[in-house]
Amino acid sequence: MTGTPTLVAQPSIRGIDIGSGPTVVLVHGFSLDHRMWHSQIEALGSGFRVVAYDLRGFGQSGPGDGYASHLDDLIALLDALHIDKAHLVGLSLGANVVLAAAASRPDRVSSLALISPGLPGFTWTAPRPPDEAATHARQHGIASAKIFWIEHELFASLESHPAARRQVRTMIEEFEGAQWEGRSMAAPLPDIHVRLEFITAPTVVINGDRDVQGYREIGEFLVRTLPNARGVILEGGHMVSMERCDDVNAELKTHFSSAGA
């Protein structure tokens, strides 16, 4: 991946669009941006058209305006790039977005890869990490919240992967944090919790065995509930796609091939 993110959809959305072949769209997690997919872009770029973009309100994309949802932006992106169908890959928040796309627009989805997925409406038995960070930001400010977030248990396994930790730290430090102040609020994603059994796209759910319990529980729930899903557990944490990039890349290629790429 080289160069500065280019205009890929509309003035608000920026990202990378490289390669040719079946299309793969990569959607990042909260407080991060498309740079987290560096390894996947390089590994998939020789056989696929790879689109990795910054969600509205993150990275170099424009702020959320409270009207468009991340789902709306994803479909608009596919339209603008003349992509009929794509393999959709998302981590954490990004997994929520691509899962919503599969529920709302199954005609646009070749397959799903959900990495460390969240799930709106899922009942957490412990505090949900993004909620903890938002509470800290309201009480102590954005700068303090960034430190709190970088040091959160969610990213603890990155201690074993110094390069990935530096990359995550850079993205979080450059994250504006407007969502924590309510200044960049995309419209809510549709509630898909009761629609999961109708999502038939071939799906792989990848979790790290060192992720916090809630995300591991969501992964297990999705594997049980989605009709055409298989689960993969790798050694690693929430950022398993950066920690175990070769293994994740191999799983993605196998998944796309079995889904008819």
Side-chain angles (χ1 to χ4, degrees), residues 30 124 126-140 145 148-149 152-154 180 212 215:
F30 180 78
W124 282 69
R128 196 175 76 94
D131 294 340
E132 290 182 290
T135 298
H136 188 97
R138 287 192 297 269
Q139 295 174 346
H140 304 285
F148 172 86
W149 190 228
H152 193 278
E153 177 191 5
L154 189 70
W180 285 334
V212 297
Y215 287 108

Side-chain angles (χ1 to χ4, degrees), residues 13 34 42 54 59 69 85 90 94 110 156 171 189 200 212 227 239:
I13 305 297
H34 78 279
E42 291 201 336
D54 294 341
S69 71
K85 297 183 73 171
S110 299
M171 287 184 280
L189 291 169
T200 59
V212 297
M239 302 303 300

Side-chain angles (χ1 to χ4, degrees), residues 40 44 89 113 204 206 248-257:
Q40 285 70 44
L44 299 173
V89 182
V204 61
I206 302 175
V248 169
N249 296 342
E251 288 290 348
L252 292 177
K253 290 179 180 179
T254 297
H255 175 62
F256 299 152
S257 177

Side-chain angles (χ1 to χ4, degrees), residues 99 102 112 114 194-205 221-230:
L99 196 56
L112 290 174
L114 310 175
V194 297
R195 300 167 61 188
L196 294 175
E197 62 185 280
F198 302 107
I199 298 175
T200 59
T203 302
V204 61
V205 181
F221 176 78
L222 290 172
V223 171
R224 292 195 308 269
T225 307
L226 293 170
N228 198 10
R230 68 181 179 92

